[in-house]
Amino acid sequence: MSAPETTLLPSPKKRLHPAWIVAAVAFLALVGAAGFRAAPGVLMVPLQNEFGWSTTVLSAAVSINLVLFGLTAPFAAALMERFGIRAVTSVALVLIGAGSALTVLVNQSWQILLTWGLLIGLGTGSMALVFAATIANTWFAKSRGLVIGILTAGSAAGQLVFLPFIAMLAQEPGWRQASLLIAAGALAVVPLVLKFLKNSPADAGVEPYGAEEVADGTDDGAAAAGSPAAGPVAATDSSPGTETAAATEPSRNAAVRALQVLKRASKVRTFWALVAGFAICGATTNGLIGTHFIPSAHDHGMSETTAAGLLAVVGIFDIVGTIASGWLTDRFNPRLLLAVYYQFRGIGLLVLPILLSATVQPSMIVFVVIYGLDWVATVPPTAAICRQVFGADGSVVFGWVFAAHQLGAAAAALAAGAIRDATGQYTYAWFGAAAMCTIAAVISATIRKDAGTREPVLVAASTAGS
C-alpha cells in the first residue's frame, strides 16, 4: 500500500511592514520641508542686488529661522506625542509653504524677517530632525540607527532636488519663482501625509517593526559584538521610572512635558556634552556652509549656479554618508563615531579658504565629497546616545539637543555675515569653525563609555524626586 501523496501548499507572501510605508512618507515629508534649507544661500545675492540689504540683515533673517527651527523642535516632539505625528507634520508643511509663498510679496527688510524667520522657522522646526527620531523610536524596535540615517538623508535629498532649480530660477526668471517652487514642494507632500502617515503601530494594528526579534534577542544590531547602540536601548527602556514617565507624561500639556524632560536631562552630564557638540555641528553646517558657502564662492568669482551645484553634490554624498553612519551606529560606539566625524569636518574647514576660486579645481571636489559624507552623519550616533541614556524620553531629549544645533547655526550665520561685512571676506569664519570642530571632537570622545547603562538610573531617580 503506497503512502498518500503530500500536497505542499505555497507559503504566504511576506507582507511589507507598515513601518516602512510610514518611513517612506516621512522621507518625502522631509524632502518637501528641506526646500528652504537650500534657499538662503542661493537667494541672498539676488535679494541684495534688488533691495540693497546688507549681508548682516539677511543673515539675521536666517538666524531667526534657525533659532525657531531649534527651539520648536523639543515642543514639536511633545506635540507629536500629544496630537499625533500626522497632524503636527501637516501643519508644519503648510507653514513652510505659506512662508515661502509670501516671500514673493516682501519689499522691506522686516518682512523677510517675518517670512524667512518666523513662519518658515516654526514650520521647519516642527519638521526638524527630531521628527526622524520620533518616527524611528515609535515605529521601529530594531535598525533604528539605519532608519534615522535614511530619514535624515531626506533633508539632504531635499537640498539635492531643489538646489539646482532654485539657483537656475533665481537667475532667470528670478528669485520669486524660486520661492514659489519651495512652497509647491512643501504643500505637495501634505496629501500623502494625511493619507499614509499613521501616528503609531497601534493605529495600523501591528507591533513596531522588529519587536518580536528584539524580544527574542535576534536583532541584527544587538548581535554585533560590542555594539553599544543596541544593548543599552533595551535596558534603558525598562529602567525604573522611565516607563512611568512615558506612560503618564504624553497626556500632559506638550510644553510641560518638554520642559519636564529638559529638567531631568539637564542633570545628566552626557546631555551637556551632546548639546555642546551639536551646537558646533549646527554652526559648521547650516550656519556657515549652508548659508554662506555660495556668497563666499561668489566673492572669489564663482557663479551662484556653479556654487549651488557644488552644494548639490554635498547633498548627494550626504545621503550616502548619513545612511552609512546609521548602519555604523547600529554596530559601533556612537561617541567614537562623533569624535571622528567632527575632526574630519574641522580639517575640511581649515583648508577651505585656500580651495575657493573662480573655477572648480579637483581639490574643491575632494572637499565637497568629504564634507558631504560628514554633513549630518552626526545625527544617528547623537540620537542613539539620547535613546540609550534617556529611554522613552529620548526623542524629546534629542529635540533639545537639536535646539542647541540650531542655536549654534543661528549664531554662526549671524557672526559670519558680520565678519564678511567687517573684513570683506569669510576667512576668519572658516578658521574659527575649524577650531570649534576640534573642541567638539574632544568633547564627544570623552563622553562616558558606560553612558548607556549607568546614567538612566540617575534620570529615573531625578524623575521620582520631581
PDB file of all heavy atoms in Angstrom, residues 323-361:
ATOM      1  N   ILE A 323      23.288  57.573   5.702  1.00  0.00           N
ATOM      2  CA  ILE A 323      22.807  56.188   5.763  1.00  0.00           C
ATOM      3  C   ILE A 323      23.922  55.269   6.275  1.00  0.00           C
ATOM      4  O   ILE A 323      23.693  54.389   7.111  1.00  0.00           O
ATOM      5  CB  ILE A 323      22.296  55.730   4.397  1.00  0.00           C
ATOM      6  CG1 ILE A 323      21.043  56.529   4.005  1.00  0.00           C
ATOM      7  CG2 ILE A 323      21.994  54.229   4.402  1.00  0.00           C
ATOM      8  CD1 ILE A 323      20.528  56.240   2.611  1.00  0.00           C
ATOM      9  N   ALA A 324      25.147  55.483   5.795  1.00  0.00           N
ATOM     10  CA  ALA A 324      26.280  54.687   6.279  1.00  0.00           C
ATOM     11  C   ALA A 324      26.508  54.917   7.767  1.00  0.00           C
ATOM     12  O   ALA A 324      26.802  53.973   8.522  1.00  0.00           O
ATOM     13  CB  ALA A 324      27.542  55.038   5.491  1.00  0.00           C
ATOM     14  N   SER A 325      26.342  56.157   8.215  1.00  0.00           N
ATOM     15  CA  SER A 325      26.511  56.460   9.638  1.00  0.00           C
ATOM     16  C   SER A 325      25.457  55.740  10.471  1.00  0.00           C
ATOM     17  O   SER A 325      25.746  55.253  11.570  1.00  0.00           O
ATOM     18  CB  SER A 325      26.428  57.970   9.867  1.00  0.00           C
ATOM     19  OG  SER A 325      26.538  58.277  11.238  1.00  0.00           O
ATOM     20  N   GLY A 326      24.215  55.669   9.959  1.00  0.00           N
ATOM     21  CA  GLY A 326      23.186  54.921  10.669  1.00  0.00           C
ATOM     22  C   GLY A 326      23.542  53.454  10.799  1.00  0.00           C
ATOM     23  O   GLY A 326      23.367  52.843  11.861  1.00  0.00           O
ATOM     24  N   TRP A 327      24.062  52.870   9.715  1.00  0.00           N
ATOM     25  CA  TRP A 327      24.494  51.469   9.747  1.00  0.00           C
ATOM     26  C   TRP A 327      25.623  51.280  10.757  1.00  0.00           C
ATOM     27  O   TRP A 327      25.619  50.330  11.547  1.00  0.00           O
ATOM     28  CB  TRP A 327      24.935  51.059   8.347  1.00  0.00           C
ATOM     29  CG  TRP A 327      25.322  49.616   8.208  1.00  0.00           C
ATOM     30  CD1 TRP A 327      24.496  48.560   7.942  1.00  0.00           C
ATOM     31  CD2 TRP A 327      26.643  49.066   8.332  1.00  0.00           C
ATOM     32  NE1 TRP A 327      25.207  47.391   7.885  1.00  0.00           N
ATOM     33  CE2 TRP A 327      26.527  47.664   8.124  1.00  0.00           C
ATOM     34  CE3 TRP A 327      27.894  49.607   8.601  1.00  0.00           C
ATOM     35  CZ2 TRP A 327      27.626  46.817   8.177  1.00  0.00           C
ATOM     36  CZ3 TRP A 327      28.995  48.764   8.656  1.00  0.00           C
ATOM     37  CH2 TRP A 327      28.858  47.383   8.445  1.00  0.00           C
ATOM     38  N   LEU A 328      26.583  52.192  10.750  1.00  0.00           N
ATOM     39  CA  LEU A 328      27.698  52.101  11.695  1.00  0.00           C
ATOM     40  C   LEU A 328      27.236  52.282  13.136  1.00  0.00           C
ATOM     41  O   LEU A 328      27.751  51.633  14.054  1.00  0.00           O
ATOM     42  CB  LEU A 328      28.753  53.161  11.360  1.00  0.00           C
ATOM     43  CG  LEU A 328      29.540  52.954  10.059  1.00  0.00           C
ATOM     44  CD1 LEU A 328      30.357  54.199   9.733  1.00  0.00           C
ATOM     45  CD2 LEU A 328      30.443  51.737  10.161  1.00  0.00           C
ATOM     46  N   THR A 329      26.242  53.157  13.344  1.00  0.00           N
ATOM     47  CA  THR A 329      25.759  53.425  14.690  1.00  0.00           C
ATOM     48  C   THR A 329      25.121  52.188  15.300  1.00  0.00           C
ATOM     49  O   THR A 329      25.170  51.993  16.520  1.00  0.00           O
ATOM     50  CB  THR A 329      24.747  54.587  14.661  1.00  0.00           C
ATOM     51  OG1 THR A 329      25.408  55.758  14.178  1.00  0.00           O
ATOM     52  CG2 THR A 329      24.186  54.876  16.048  1.00  0.00           C
ATOM     53  N   ASP A 330      24.504  51.339  14.479  1.00  0.00           N
ATOM     54  CA  ASP A 330      23.918  50.095  14.983  1.00  0.00           C
ATOM     55  C   ASP A 330      24.995  49.090  15.393  1.00  0.00           C
ATOM     56  O   ASP A 330      24.669  48.068  16.007  1.00  0.00           O
ATOM     57  CB  ASP A 330      23.021  49.454  13.914  1.00  0.00           C
ATOM     58  CG  ASP A 330      21.699  50.193  13.752  1.00  0.00           C
ATOM     59  OD1 ASP A 330      21.241  50.804  14.737  1.00  0.00           O
ATOM     60  OD2 ASP A 330      21.140  50.166  12.644  1.00  0.00           O
ATOM     61  N   ARG A 331      26.264  49.372  15.069  1.00  0.00           N
ATOM     62  CA  ARG A 331      27.314  48.369  15.272  1.00  0.00           C
ATOM     63  C   ARG A 331      28.514  48.847  16.087  1.00  0.00           C
ATOM     64  O   ARG A 331      29.245  48.025  16.632  1.00  0.00           O
ATOM     65  CB  ARG A 331      27.802  47.866  13.900  1.00  0.00           C
ATOM     66  CG  ARG A 331      26.760  47.021  13.195  1.00  0.00           C
ATOM     67  CD  ARG A 331      26.969  46.930  11.705  1.00  0.00           C
ATOM     68  NE  ARG A 331      26.006  46.013  11.095  1.00  0.00           N
ATOM     69  CZ  ARG A 331      24.737  46.336  10.836  1.00  0.00           C
ATOM     70  NH1 ARG A 331      24.302  47.565  11.091  1.00  0.00           N
ATOM     71  NH2 ARG A 331      23.911  45.446  10.312  1.00  0.00           N
ATOM     72  N   PHE A 332      28.735  50.165  16.168  1.00  0.00           N
ATOM     73  CA  PHE A 332      29.930  50.661  16.841  1.00  0.00           C
ATOM     74  C   PHE A 332      29.564  51.735  17.868  1.00  0.00           C
ATOM     75  O   PHE A 332      28.443  52.254  17.878  1.00  0.00           O
ATOM     76  CB  PHE A 332      30.927  51.225  15.815  1.00  0.00           C
ATOM     77  CG  PHE A 332      31.419  50.213  14.817  1.00  0.00           C
ATOM     78  CD1 PHE A 332      30.880  50.154  13.533  1.00  0.00           C
ATOM     79  CD2 PHE A 332      32.398  49.297  15.159  1.00  0.00           C
ATOM     80  CE1 PHE A 332      31.316  49.222  12.609  1.00  0.00           C
ATOM     81  CE2 PHE A 332      32.852  48.354  14.240  1.00  0.00           C
ATOM     82  CZ  PHE A 332      32.314  48.322  12.972  1.00  0.00           C
ATOM     83  N   ASN A 333      30.538  52.062  18.693  1.00  0.00           N
ATOM     84  CA  ASN A 333      30.330  53.039  19.760  1.00  0.00           C
ATOM     85  C   ASN A 333      30.035  54.411  19.166  1.00  0.00           C
ATOM     86  O   ASN A 333      30.882  54.990  18.479  1.00  0.00           O
ATOM     87  CB  ASN A 333      31.590  53.107  20.640  1.00  0.00           C
ATOM     88  CG  ASN A 333      31.333  53.854  21.926  1.00  0.00           C
ATOM     89  OD1 ASN A 333      30.641  54.864  21.947  1.00  0.00           O
ATOM     90  ND2 ASN A 333      31.896  53.357  23.014  1.00  0.00           N
ATOM     91  N   PRO A 334      28.849  54.979  19.416  1.00  0.00           N
ATOM     92  CA  PRO A 334      28.493  56.249  18.774  1.00  0.00           C
ATOM     93  C   PRO A 334      29.354  57.431  19.206  1.00  0.00           C
ATOM     94  O   PRO A 334      29.545  58.357  18.429  1.00  0.00           O
ATOM     95  CB  PRO A 334      27.022  56.446  19.180  1.00  0.00           C
ATOM     96  CG  PRO A 334      26.815  55.594  20.384  1.00  0.00           C
ATOM     97  CD  PRO A 334      27.734  54.423  20.221  1.00  0.00           C
ATOM     98  N   ARG A 335      29.895  57.411  20.420  1.00  0.00           N
ATOM     99  CA  ARG A 335      30.709  58.556  20.855  1.00  0.00           C
ATOM    100  C   ARG A 335      32.003  58.644  20.043  1.00  0.00           C
ATOM    101  O   ARG A 335      32.473  59.742  19.726  1.00  0.00           O
ATOM    102  CB  ARG A 335      31.015  58.457  22.355  1.00  0.00           C
ATOM    103  CG  ARG A 335      31.970  57.352  22.732  1.00  0.00           C
ATOM    104  CD  ARG A 335      32.146  57.181  24.234  1.00  0.00           C
ATOM    105  NE  ARG A 335      33.153  56.177  24.504  1.00  0.00           N
ATOM    106  CZ  ARG A 335      34.446  56.429  24.661  1.00  0.00           C
ATOM    107  NH1 ARG A 335      34.880  57.672  24.583  1.00  0.00           N
ATOM    108  NH2 ARG A 335      35.295  55.456  24.889  1.00  0.00           N
ATOM    109  N   LEU A 336      32.576  57.481  19.696  1.00  0.00           N
ATOM    110  CA  LEU A 336      33.793  57.489  18.894  1.00  0.00           C
ATOM    111  C   LEU A 336      33.495  57.921  17.456  1.00  0.00           C
ATOM    112  O   LEU A 336      34.297  58.610  16.825  1.00  0.00           O
ATOM    113  CB  LEU A 336      34.450  56.110  18.918  1.00  0.00           C
ATOM    114  CG  LEU A 336      34.922  55.627  20.302  1.00  0.00           C
ATOM    115  CD1 LEU A 336      35.566  54.249  20.192  1.00  0.00           C
ATOM    116  CD2 LEU A 336      35.895  56.624  20.916  1.00  0.00           C
ATOM    117  N   LEU A 337      32.343  57.508  16.941  1.00  0.00           N
ATOM    118  CA  LEU A 337      31.946  57.958  15.606  1.00  0.00           C
ATOM    119  C   LEU A 337      31.830  59.483  15.575  1.00  0.00           C
ATOM    120  O   LEU A 337      32.296  60.131  14.635  1.00  0.00           O
ATOM    121  CB  LEU A 337      30.612  57.323  15.215  1.00  0.00           C
ATOM    122  CG  LEU A 337      30.603  55.810  14.985  1.00  0.00           C
ATOM    123  CD1 LEU A 337      29.184  55.330  14.699  1.00  0.00           C
ATOM    124  CD2 LEU A 337      31.532  55.419  13.834  1.00  0.00           C
ATOM    125  N   LEU A 338      31.225  60.058  16.611  1.00  0.00           N
ATOM    126  CA  LEU A 338      31.080  61.513  16.668  1.00  0.00           C
ATOM    127  C   LEU A 338      32.435  62.203  16.655  1.00  0.00           C
ATOM    128  O   LEU A 338      32.638  63.202  15.951  1.00  0.00           O
ATOM    129  CB  LEU A 338      30.305  61.921  17.923  1.00  0.00           C
ATOM    130  CG  LEU A 338      28.798  61.659  17.915  1.00  0.00           C
ATOM    131  CD1 LEU A 338      28.198  62.030  19.276  1.00  0.00           C
ATOM    132  CD2 LEU A 338      28.115  62.461  16.815  1.00  0.00           C
ATOM    133  N   ALA A 339      33.365  61.688  17.435  1.00  0.00           N
ATOM    134  CA  ALA A 339      34.687  62.309  17.509  1.00  0.00           C
ATOM    135  C   ALA A 339      35.368  62.311  16.138  1.00  0.00           C
ATOM    136  O   ALA A 339      35.963  63.318  15.722  1.00  0.00           O
ATOM    137  CB  ALA A 339      35.552  61.573  18.533  1.00  0.00           C
ATOM    138  N   VAL A 340      35.272  61.196  15.429  1.00  0.00           N
ATOM    139  CA  VAL A 340      35.889  61.104  14.097  1.00  0.00           C
ATOM    140  C   VAL A 340      35.217  62.066  13.129  1.00  0.00           C
ATOM    141  O   VAL A 340      35.883  62.794  12.374  1.00  0.00           O
ATOM    142  CB  VAL A 340      35.813  59.658  13.573  1.00  0.00           C
ATOM    143  CG1 VAL A 340      36.257  59.592  12.113  1.00  0.00           C
ATOM    144  CG2 VAL A 340      36.672  58.733  14.431  1.00  0.00           C
ATOM    145  N   TYR A 341      33.879  62.107  13.142  1.00  0.00           N
ATOM    146  CA  TYR A 341      33.153  62.982  12.220  1.00  0.00           C
ATOM    147  C   TYR A 341      33.531  64.450  12.421  1.00  0.00           C
ATOM    148  O   TYR A 341      33.781  65.184  11.462  1.00  0.00           O
ATOM    149  CB  TYR A 341      31.644  62.828  12.413  1.00  0.00           C
ATOM    150  CG  TYR A 341      31.088  61.458  12.097  1.00  0.00           C
ATOM    151  CD1 TYR A 341      29.883  61.035  12.654  1.00  0.00           C
ATOM    152  CD2 TYR A 341      31.754  60.577  11.247  1.00  0.00           C
ATOM    153  CE1 TYR A 341      29.358  59.789  12.378  1.00  0.00           C
ATOM    154  CE2 TYR A 341      31.232  59.328  10.967  1.00  0.00           C
ATOM    155  CZ  TYR A 341      30.034  58.932  11.538  1.00  0.00           C
ATOM    156  OH  TYR A 341      29.508  57.697  11.261  1.00  0.00           O
ATOM    157  N   TYR A 342      33.546  64.882  13.675  1.00  0.00           N
ATOM    158  CA  TYR A 342      33.839  66.293  13.943  1.00  0.00           C
ATOM    159  C   TYR A 342      35.261  66.666  13.544  1.00  0.00           C
ATOM    160  O   TYR A 342      35.501  67.746  13.005  1.00  0.00           O
ATOM    161  CB  TYR A 342      33.623  66.605  15.427  1.00  0.00           C
ATOM    162  CG  TYR A 342      32.172  66.714  15.829  1.00  0.00           C
ATOM    163  CD1 TYR A 342      31.674  66.012  16.926  1.00  0.00           C
ATOM    164  CD2 TYR A 342      31.279  67.521  15.120  1.00  0.00           C
ATOM    165  CE1 TYR A 342      30.346  66.104  17.305  1.00  0.00           C
ATOM    166  CE2 TYR A 342      29.950  67.619  15.489  1.00  0.00           C
ATOM    167  CZ  TYR A 342      29.484  66.903  16.581  1.00  0.00           C
ATOM    168  OH  TYR A 342      28.163  66.995  16.947  1.00  0.00           O
ATOM    169  N   GLN A 343      36.217  65.761  13.789  1.00  0.00           N
ATOM    170  CA  GLN A 343      37.594  66.099  13.467  1.00  0.00           C
ATOM    171  C   GLN A 343      37.815  66.195  11.960  1.00  0.00           C
ATOM    172  O   GLN A 343      38.510  67.104  11.483  1.00  0.00           O
ATOM    173  CB  GLN A 343      38.553  65.076  14.067  1.00  0.00           C
ATOM    174  CG  GLN A 343      40.008  65.514  14.032  1.00  0.00           C
ATOM    175  CD  GLN A 343      40.216  66.862  14.720  1.00  0.00           C
ATOM    176  OE1 GLN A 343      40.015  67.000  15.920  1.00  0.00           O
ATOM    177  NE2 GLN A 343      40.594  67.885  13.970  1.00  0.00           N
ATOM    178  N   PHE A 344      37.218  65.292  11.203  1.00  0.00           N
ATOM    179  CA  PHE A 344      37.336  65.371   9.741  1.00  0.00           C
ATOM    180  C   PHE A 344      36.702  66.652   9.213  1.00  0.00           C
ATOM    181  O   PHE A 344      37.221  67.292   8.297  1.00  0.00           O
ATOM    182  CB  PHE A 344      36.680  64.150   9.091  1.00  0.00           C
ATOM    183  CG  PHE A 344      37.640  63.016   8.854  1.00  0.00           C
ATOM    184  CD1 PHE A 344      37.708  61.949   9.733  1.00  0.00           C
ATOM    185  CD2 PHE A 344      38.483  63.028   7.761  1.00  0.00           C
ATOM    186  CE1 PHE A 344      38.603  60.913   9.525  1.00  0.00           C
ATOM    187  CE2 PHE A 344      39.376  61.992   7.529  1.00  0.00           C
ATOM    188  CZ  PHE A 344      39.441  60.926   8.421  1.00  0.00           C
ATOM    189  N   ARG A 345      35.591  67.058   9.803  1.00  0.00           N
ATOM    190  CA  ARG A 345      34.943  68.296   9.373  1.00  0.00           C
ATOM    191  C   ARG A 345      35.847  69.495   9.654  1.00  0.00           C
ATOM    192  O   ARG A 345      35.945  70.413   8.834  1.00  0.00           O
ATOM    193  CB  ARG A 345      33.605  68.458  10.097  1.00  0.00           C
ATOM    194  CG  ARG A 345      32.794  69.640   9.589  1.00  0.00           C
ATOM    195  CD  ARG A 345      31.475  69.769  10.342  1.00  0.00           C
ATOM    196  NE  ARG A 345      30.665  68.568  10.190  1.00  0.00           N
ATOM    197  CZ  ARG A 345      29.506  68.387  10.820  1.00  0.00           C
ATOM    198  NH1 ARG A 345      29.046  69.313  11.647  1.00  0.00           N
ATOM    199  NH2 ARG A 345      28.811  67.283  10.630  1.00  0.00           N
ATOM    200  N   GLY A 346      36.495  69.509  10.793  1.00  0.00           N
ATOM    201  CA  GLY A 346      37.389  70.611  11.132  1.00  0.00           C
ATOM    202  C   GLY A 346      38.541  70.736  10.153  1.00  0.00           C
ATOM    203  O   GLY A 346      38.925  71.846   9.758  1.00  0.00           O
ATOM    204  N   ILE A 347      39.097  69.603   9.735  1.00  0.00           N
ATOM    205  CA  ILE A 347      40.192  69.638   8.765  1.00  0.00           C
ATOM    206  C   ILE A 347      39.715  70.239   7.447  1.00  0.00           C
ATOM    207  O   ILE A 347      40.407  71.053   6.816  1.00  0.00           O
ATOM    208  CB  ILE A 347      40.757  68.220   8.553  1.00  0.00           C
ATOM    209  CG1 ILE A 347      41.415  67.707   9.842  1.00  0.00           C
ATOM    210  CG2 ILE A 347      41.748  68.197   7.397  1.00  0.00           C
ATOM    211  CD1 ILE A 347      41.805  66.242   9.805  1.00  0.00           C
ATOM    212  N   GLY A 348      38.508  69.857   7.028  1.00  0.00           N
ATOM    213  CA  GLY A 348      37.963  70.402   5.786  1.00  0.00           C
ATOM    214  C   GLY A 348      37.792  71.912   5.843  1.00  0.00           C
ATOM    215  O   GLY A 348      38.142  72.634   4.898  1.00  0.00           O
ATOM    216  N   LEU A 349      37.251  72.412   6.946  1.00  0.00           N
ATOM    217  CA  LEU A 349      37.044  73.857   7.088  1.00  0.00           C
ATOM    218  C   LEU A 349      38.367  74.620   7.151  1.00  0.00           C
ATOM    219  O   LEU A 349      38.458  75.763   6.685  1.00  0.00           O
ATOM    220  CB  LEU A 349      36.218  74.144   8.350  1.00  0.00           C
ATOM    221  CG  LEU A 349      34.741  73.753   8.259  1.00  0.00           C
ATOM    222  CD1 LEU A 349      34.094  73.789   9.642  1.00  0.00           C
ATOM    223  CD2 LEU A 349      33.997  74.677   7.304  1.00  0.00           C
ATOM    224  N   LEU A 350      39.378  73.993   7.711  1.00  0.00           N
ATOM    225  CA  LEU A 350      40.670  74.655   7.831  1.00  0.00           C
ATOM    226  C   LEU A 350      41.280  74.952   6.468  1.00  0.00           C
ATOM    227  O   LEU A 350      41.925  75.990   6.269  1.00  0.00           O
ATOM    228  CB  LEU A 350      41.618  73.776   8.653  1.00  0.00           C
ATOM    229  CG  LEU A 350      42.963  74.379   9.032  1.00  0.00           C
ATOM    230  CD1 LEU A 350      42.784  75.586   9.954  1.00  0.00           C
ATOM    231  CD2 LEU A 350      43.843  73.323   9.713  1.00  0.00           C
ATOM    232  N   VAL A 351      41.078  74.047   5.522  1.00  0.00           N
ATOM    233  CA  VAL A 351      41.697  74.224   4.201  1.00  0.00           C
ATOM    234  C   VAL A 351      40.765  74.910   3.193  1.00  0.00           C
ATOM    235  O   VAL A 351      41.202  75.265   2.098  1.00  0.00           O
ATOM    236  CB  VAL A 351      42.168  72.869   3.623  1.00  0.00           C
ATOM    237  CG1 VAL A 351      43.176  72.214   4.557  1.00  0.00           C
ATOM    238  CG2 VAL A 351      40.987  71.925   3.373  1.00  0.00           C
ATOM    239  N   LEU A 352      39.487  75.103   3.555  1.00  0.00           N
ATOM    240  CA  LEU A 352      38.536  75.663   2.599  1.00  0.00           C
ATOM    241  C   LEU A 352      38.963  77.018   2.034  1.00  0.00           C
ATOM    242  O   LEU A 352      38.819  77.243   0.817  1.00  0.00           O
ATOM    243  CB  LEU A 352      37.147  75.776   3.248  1.00  0.00           C
ATOM    244  CG  LEU A 352      36.049  76.384   2.364  1.00  0.00           C
ATOM    245  CD1 LEU A 352      35.879  75.585   1.073  1.00  0.00           C
ATOM    246  CD2 LEU A 352      34.735  76.466   3.123  1.00  0.00           C
ATOM    247  N   PRO A 353      39.479  77.974   2.839  1.00  0.00           N
ATOM    248  CA  PRO A 353      39.826  79.280   2.275  1.00  0.00           C
ATOM    249  C   PRO A 353      40.819  79.218   1.116  1.00  0.00           C
ATOM    250  O   PRO A 353      40.782  80.059   0.221  1.00  0.00           O
ATOM    251  CB  PRO A 353      40.410  80.033   3.475  1.00  0.00           C
ATOM    252  CG  PRO A 353      39.769  79.405   4.666  1.00  0.00           C
ATOM    253  CD  PRO A 353      39.647  77.956   4.308  1.00  0.00           C
ATOM    254  N   ILE A 354      41.712  78.231   1.122  1.00  0.00           N
ATOM    255  CA  ILE A 354      42.692  78.152   0.030  1.00  0.00           C
ATOM    256  C   ILE A 354      42.144  77.369  -1.172  1.00  0.00           C
ATOM    257  O   ILE A 354      42.774  77.331  -2.227  1.00  0.00           O
ATOM    258  CB  ILE A 354      44.010  77.519   0.509  1.00  0.00           C
ATOM    259  CG1 ILE A 354      43.803  76.071   0.937  1.00  0.00           C
ATOM    260  CG2 ILE A 354      44.609  78.329   1.646  1.00  0.00           C
ATOM    261  CD1 ILE A 354      45.096  75.354   1.310  1.00  0.00           C
ATOM    262  N   LEU A 355      40.974  76.738  -1.009  1.00  0.00           N
ATOM    263  CA  LEU A 355      40.381  75.969  -2.098  1.00  0.00           C
ATOM    264  C   LEU A 355      39.434  76.805  -2.950  1.00  0.00           C
ATOM    265  O   LEU A 355      39.216  76.492  -4.129  1.00  0.00           O
ATOM    266  CB  LEU A 355      39.619  74.761  -1.554  1.00  0.00           C
ATOM    267  CG  LEU A 355      40.408  73.755  -0.702  1.00  0.00           C
ATOM    268  CD1 LEU A 355      39.509  72.605  -0.267  1.00  0.00           C
ATOM    269  CD2 LEU A 355      41.616  73.217  -1.472  1.00  0.00           C
ATOM    270  N   LEU A 356      38.857  77.859  -2.361  1.00  0.00           N
ATOM    271  CA  LEU A 356      37.883  78.667  -3.092  1.00  0.00           C
ATOM    272  C   LEU A 356      38.557  79.468  -4.194  1.00  0.00           C
ATOM    273  O   LEU A 356      39.592  80.105  -3.984  1.00  0.00           O
ATOM    274  CB  LEU A 356      37.172  79.617  -2.123  1.00  0.00           C
ATOM    275  CG  LEU A 356      36.162  78.965  -1.166  1.00  0.00           C
ATOM    276  CD1 LEU A 356      35.771  79.939  -0.075  1.00  0.00           C
ATOM    277  CD2 LEU A 356      34.940  78.478  -1.936  1.00  0.00           C
ATOM    278  N   SER A 357      37.967  79.422  -5.387  1.00  0.00           N
ATOM    279  CA  SER A 357      38.492  80.170  -6.524  1.00  0.00           C
ATOM    280  C   SER A 357      37.361  80.351  -7.533  1.00  0.00           C
ATOM    281  O   SER A 357      36.243  79.869  -7.328  1.00  0.00           O
ATOM    282  CB  SER A 357      39.675  79.445  -7.163  1.00  0.00           C
ATOM    283  OG  SER A 357      39.255  78.211  -7.716  1.00  0.00           O
ATOM    284  N   ALA A 358      37.652  81.040  -8.621  1.00  0.00           N
ATOM    285  CA  ALA A 358      36.629  81.307  -9.630  1.00  0.00           C
ATOM    286  C   ALA A 358      36.221  80.040 -10.386  1.00  0.00           C
ATOM    287  O   ALA A 358      35.116  79.959 -10.922  1.00  0.00           O
ATOM    288  CB  ALA A 358      37.129  82.359 -10.617  1.00  0.00           C
ATOM    289  N   THR A 359      37.092  79.067 -10.439  1.00  0.00           N
ATOM    290  CA  THR A 359      36.802  77.811 -11.137  1.00  0.00           C
ATOM    291  C   THR A 359      36.854  76.649 -10.158  1.00  0.00           C
ATOM    292  O   THR A 359      37.457  76.747  -9.082  1.00  0.00           O
ATOM    293  CB  THR A 359      37.813  77.567 -12.267  1.00  0.00           C
ATOM    294  OG1 THR A 359      39.144  77.534 -11.716  1.00  0.00           O
ATOM    295  CG2 THR A 359      37.722  78.672 -13.306  1.00  0.00           C
ATOM    296  N   VAL A 360      36.236  75.550 -10.528  1.00  0.00           N
ATOM    297  CA  VAL A 360      36.192  74.363  -9.679  1.00  0.00           C
ATOM    298  C   VAL A 360      37.430  73.517  -9.923  1.00  0.00           C
ATOM    299  O   VAL A 360      37.611  72.962 -11.015  1.00  0.00           O
ATOM    300  CB  VAL A 360      34.922  73.534  -9.953  1.00  0.00           C
ATOM    301  CG1 VAL A 360      34.907  72.286  -9.084  1.00  0.00           C
ATOM    302  CG2 VAL A 360      33.678  74.377  -9.718  1.00  0.00           C
ATOM    303  N   GLN A 361      38.302  73.440  -8.920  1.00  0.00           N
ATOM    304  CA  GLN A 361      39.517  72.645  -9.004  1.00  0.00           C
ATOM    305  C   GLN A 361      39.282  71.249  -8.414  1.00  0.00           C
ATOM    306  O   GLN A 361      38.351  71.048  -7.626  1.00  0.00           O
ATOM    307  CB  GLN A 361      40.653  73.345  -8.247  1.00  0.00           C
ATOM    308  CG  GLN A 361      40.958  74.756  -8.729  1.00  0.00           C
ATOM    309  CD  GLN A 361      41.461  74.785 -10.158  1.00  0.00           C
ATOM    310  OE1 GLN A 361      42.162  73.870 -10.591  1.00  0.00           O
ATOM    311  NE2 GLN A 361      41.105  75.837 -10.891  1.00  0.00           N
TER     312      GLN A 361
END
